[in-house]
Amino acid sequence: MKFSSLFIALLSSSTVSAFAPTTKPTFSTRSISSASQYSTQLFHGDPKHAPKHGTGAAVELDPEEMKTQAAFGEHQQNAPKLGFAVDVRTLIEYNHGFAVISTNSKANDGYPNGSVVGFAPDEDGNPIFIFSGMSSHTQDVLKDPKCSLTIASKQFKGAADGRVNLMGQVKLISQEDKEAAKAVYLKKHPGAFWVDFGDFNWFKMEIEKINFVGGFARAGSVSPEEYNNAKPDVIAEFGMHIASHMNDDHQGSTIAMIESQVPGINASEAVITSVDSMGMFVKVTRSPVNSEEQQQFKMRLPFPRKAENRKDVKEIIVEMTRAAAPAPAAEE
C-alpha cells in the first residue's frame, strides 16, 4: 500500500462529515492497521451507492507521519465551511454561464443527447435558457422536458474541483415573463445579440433533484427548497482574484499558514483554488515522512472570523500571514 492511499483514506473520513447534505451523513472507518477494507459512508445504512475507497494492503507509518495525519484529520473536520446549499448556489451563480444539458433524444429514441448551452440563474437559482428552434436539444425538451444540467465550477480543472448536476424539467417561459428572463440572461451574457431573433425561445428549468460533488470525499444532495432558499456567498464572487494574487506572489505565505495550522504537513506547493467568506480551499502538494512519493490533496484553510467584504478578506489574510511567519532569530 502506498502512503498516498492511506492519507486519502484519512482525508476522506475527516472531510465527509464536515459538510451538510440533506441527510446528515454517517461514516465509519477501520483502524489504520486494517485499512485495506476502508469505506466512507455518506448515507445512513451504507446503501449500494455509498462510495467506497479500497486502499490496498496495510502499511506501518512513521510515528511522526501518523501524528501529522491525525492532526490533519481533526483540523479538517472542525474547519468552518459553507453549507452544501450555499456551495451549490455559489458555484452556479459565479459559473461562466455555460453547461452541458443532457436531454432524451427525439431523433435517436432511447439515447441521451448532450449539448453545451448558455444559461443564467434567476434570483432563485433556476437556470434560464434561450434556445434556437433548430437545435436538437430544443426539439428534445419540447417532446420530453425531463433533462439534466451539469455545471462545473468556473475554475474547474479536474476531479478535485466542484461540479453540480441539476435534474428537472425545462419548459417554455410564458409571454409575460420573457422580458424578465431576457434581463437575467443578458446580465450573464451581455453579448448575446441573438436573444431578439424570431426563431429563439425562452426556457426555464424547474429543478427537482440536485447532486453536488465538491471534490474528493465531498459529495451529497441538496433539496430544491434548500437550494432556492440559500444565497450565493458574496466573497466567492471576487475570491479568485485574491487567490490568483496569492498564488502568483505569496505562495510561501500560504505554505506557512498551512504549517501553522497543521504542523508537519511540510507542503512543497500550495495553490489556493477558491476563497469564500469563511476560508480558502488549497491544493496541497507534499511528501510524507521518510517517503519520496508525492501526495496531492485539497485542504480547507479557515479564516479566524467570517469576512464581510474585500477589505475584510485582505486584513484577515494579512493577520494570518503575520501569525504564521517564523519568529525572528534572537541576537546573540
Side-chain angles (χ1 to χ4, degrees):
M1 172 187 172
K2 296 182 178 180
F3 282 97
S4 59
S5 299
L6 187 55
F7 195 79
I8 286 172
L10 182 60
L11 175 64
S12 302
S13 64
S14 65
T15 55
V16 169
S17 64
F19 292 80
T22 306
T23 303
K24 184 178 179 181
T26 62
F27 60 91
S28 60
T29 63
R30 296 190 178 194
S31 64
I32 290 177
S33 62
S34 60
S36 59
Q37 297 300 317
Y38 171 82
S39 69
T40 301
Q41 201 171 306
L42 275 178
F43 304 90
H44 290 290
D46 194 14
K48 295 179 180 179
H49 59 272
K52 299 179 185 295
H53 306 287
T55 56
V59 67
E60 185 175 346
L61 286 184
D62 182 279
E64 285 301 312
E65 179 64 17
M66 291 185 68
K67 182 179 178 181
T68 299
Q69 291 192 14
F72 176 84
E74 182 177 0
H75 178 272
Q76 292 299 280
Q77 191 165 17
N78 295 323
K81 306 171 184 71
L82 303 176
F84 260 23
V86 177
D87 261 329
V88 174
R89 277 301 304 270
T90 300
L91 185 154
I92 292 174
E93 185 72 22
Y94 304 133
N95 170 275
H96 43 52
F98 292 93
V100 175
I101 191 170
S102 299
T103 55
N104 295 306
S105 177
K106 177 182 177 182
N108 299 286
D109 188 44
Y111 287 88
N113 181 26
S115 304
V116 176
V117 297
F119 79 96
D122 67 11
E123 62 181 6
D124 294 321
N126 301 306
I128 300 291
F129 312 94
I130 183 162
F131 292 155
S132 166
M134 298 173 60
S135 299
S136 60
H137 50 265
T138 306
Q139 298 302 314
D140 294 344
V141 297
L142 289 173
K143 180 184 178 183
D144 183 353
K146 292 181 180 179
C147 61
S148 73
L149 189 71
T150 301
I151 306 167
S153 66
K154 191 174 183 179
Q155 295 78 33
F156 187 89
K157 292 182 180 179
D161 299 314
R163 58 272 195 194
V164 178
N165 181 256
L166 306 178
M167 288 180 279
Q169 300 191 43
V170 170
K171 298 180 179 180
L172 282 164
I173 290 176
S174 63
Q175 185 65 37
E176 57 267 27
D177 292 332
K178 286 184 178 180
E179 284 303 313
K182 180 179 176 180
V184 167
Y185 195 85
L186 286 176
K187 185 177 179 181
K188 175 69 75 173
H189 303 278
F193 57 87
W194 54 88
V195 297
D196 292 318
F197 287 3
D199 64 334
F200 278 68
N201 293 286
W202 293 100
F203 292 82
K204 181 168 78 170
M205 182 180 225
E206 297 174 0
I207 300 172
E208 297 175 353
K209 294 182 180 181
I210 303 169
N211 292 313
F212 172 59
V213 178
F216 189 86
R218 293 183 61 212
S221 60
V222 176
S223 73
E225 293 75 23
E226 289 173 318
Y227 172 75
N228 291 147
N229 291 331
K231 299 298 180 186
D233 185 83
V234 294
I235 303 300
E237 183 174 9
F238 54 82
M240 278 313 299
H241 296 293
I242 297 169
S244 296
H245 171 67
M246 291 293 294
N247 294 336
D248 292 342
D249 300 331
H250 304 287
Q251 189 172 152
S253 296
T254 307
I255 290 174
M257 285 187 272
I258 290 171
E259 193 65 21
S260 71
Q261 296 199 21
V262 186
I265 290 290
N266 296 326
S268 58
E269 186 178 55
V271 178
I272 300 171
T273 61
S274 65
V275 180
D276 57 65
S277 61
M278 301 182 74
M280 305 178 281
F281 277 105
V282 185
K283 185 170 67 174
V284 178
T285 303
R286 71 172 308 248
S287 294
V289 176
N290 295 328
S291 173
E292 295 181 358
E293 182 186 354
Q294 280 197 336
Q295 298 171 339
Q296 197 171 75
F297 53 91
K298 269 197 175 179
M299 175 180 178
R300 181 65 172 177
L301 197 60
F303 291 157
R305 62 182 183 277
K306 185 176 181 179
E308 302 294 340
N309 50 50
R310 187 187 293 265
K311 180 174 180 289
D312 208 14
V313 176
K314 180 180 178 180
E315 291 176 351
I316 289 172
I317 291 178
V318 169
E319 290 172 18
M320 292 173 67
T321 300
R322 288 174 177 170
E331 295 184 5
E332 295 183 0

